[in-house]
């Protein structure tokens, strides 16, 4: 079972985004038969099998083994992953063209976050070491100093890229997001 399955196909999202299928998927965190899942969910095995079949077709569930019960083969199924991430690209952007080329636009930030999400989902979770770091914090910048703050941030990052941007060594992706933060309860729009 994978840790994360990144869903980029509309058929996968359609198969997943049904409340009853999500319940079936939760029950399949451990290998189970449709009959076992049906008993827990108070459903018929046929109804559960219908949902399991759709989840298998979408690659969200796998048949891990089979057993014979009273002369009939019964499949044992398990979820393909512990977590499922939907690509924001499945929905797309609503309301006009993206301004990807403008590094100061929210559209660029959304594209960057989608790229980071896809990169993280593709990491080999079985690797003995995944050196990574996550840093999050809040800074307060008076409106009259915003331009200087952005310039300082850009300079600091460009210095890192210049210092470590050679062709030798392990490649690391660095993504920095800077956006307005309004704490909960703040009534700003």
């Amino acid at each position: 079972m994978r840790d994360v399955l990144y869903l980029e196909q509309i058929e996968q999202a359609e198969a997943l985004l049904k409340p009853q299928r999500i319940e079936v998927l939760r029950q399949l965190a451990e290998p189970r038969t449709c009959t076992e899942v049906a008993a827990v969910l108070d459903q018929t095995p046929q109804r559960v099998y219908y949902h399991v079949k759709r989840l298998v077709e979408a690659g969200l569930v796998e048949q891990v083994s089979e057993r014979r019960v009273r002369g009939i083969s019964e499949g044992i199924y398990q979820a393909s992953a512990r977590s499922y991430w939907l690509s924001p690209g499945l929905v797309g952007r609503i309301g006009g063209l993206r301004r990807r080329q403008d590094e100061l636009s929210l559209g660029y930030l959304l594209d960057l976050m989608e790229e980071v999400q896809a990169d993280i989902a593709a990491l080999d979770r079985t690797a003995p070491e995944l050196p990574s770091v996550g840093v999050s914090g809040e800074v307060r910048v008076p409106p009259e100093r915003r331009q200087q703050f952005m310039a300082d941030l850009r300079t600091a990052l460009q210095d890192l890229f210049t210092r470590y941007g050679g062709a030798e060594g392990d490649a690391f992706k660095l993504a920095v997001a800077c956006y307005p933060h309004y704490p909960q309860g703040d009534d700003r729009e």
Side-chain angles (χ1 to χ4, degrees), residues 62-134:
E62 299 169 355
Q63 183 173 342
V64 294
S65 64
E66 191 173 83
R67 68 180 181 197
R68 306 263 315 153
V69 178
R70 293 184 292 273
I72 298 173
S73 292
E74 186 173 39
I76 299 173
Y77 300 91
Q78 185 173 15
S80 300
R82 296 184 203 304
S83 304
Y84 298 87
W85 292 353
L86 290 177
S87 166
L90 289 173
V91 176
R93 303 294 187 269
I94 298 171
L97 299 173
R98 293 187 292 198
R99 296 183 301 169
R100 181 178 175 90
Q101 62 275 36
D102 179 1
E103 290 181 354
L104 298 178
S105 76
L106 290 178
Y108 181 83
L109 185 58
L110 289 170
D111 287 341
L112 177 62
M113 292 302 102
E114 181 177 353
E115 186 177 321
V116 169
Q117 185 174 336
D119 288 347
I120 290 171
L123 289 174
D124 179 6
R125 307 285 177 155
T126 62
E129 181 182 8
L130 286 173
S132 59
V133 64

Side-chain angles (χ1 to χ4, degrees), residues 3-44:
D3 196 32
V4 175
L5 184 60
Y6 190 61
L7 308 180
E8 298 180 271
Q9 298 172 5
I10 193 71
E11 296 80 17
Q12 291 176 309
E14 288 173 346
L16 182 63
L17 295 177
K18 296 195 183 307
Q20 191 161 21
R21 287 198 190 135
I22 291 172
E23 288 305 314
V24 168
L25 194 57
R26 284 186 180 130
Q27 293 302 313
L28 294 174
E30 300 297 325
R32 292 190 170 149
T33 66
C34 292
T35 303
E36 292 168 334
V37 172
V40 172
L41 298 179
D42 195 29
Q43 297 288 328
T44 66

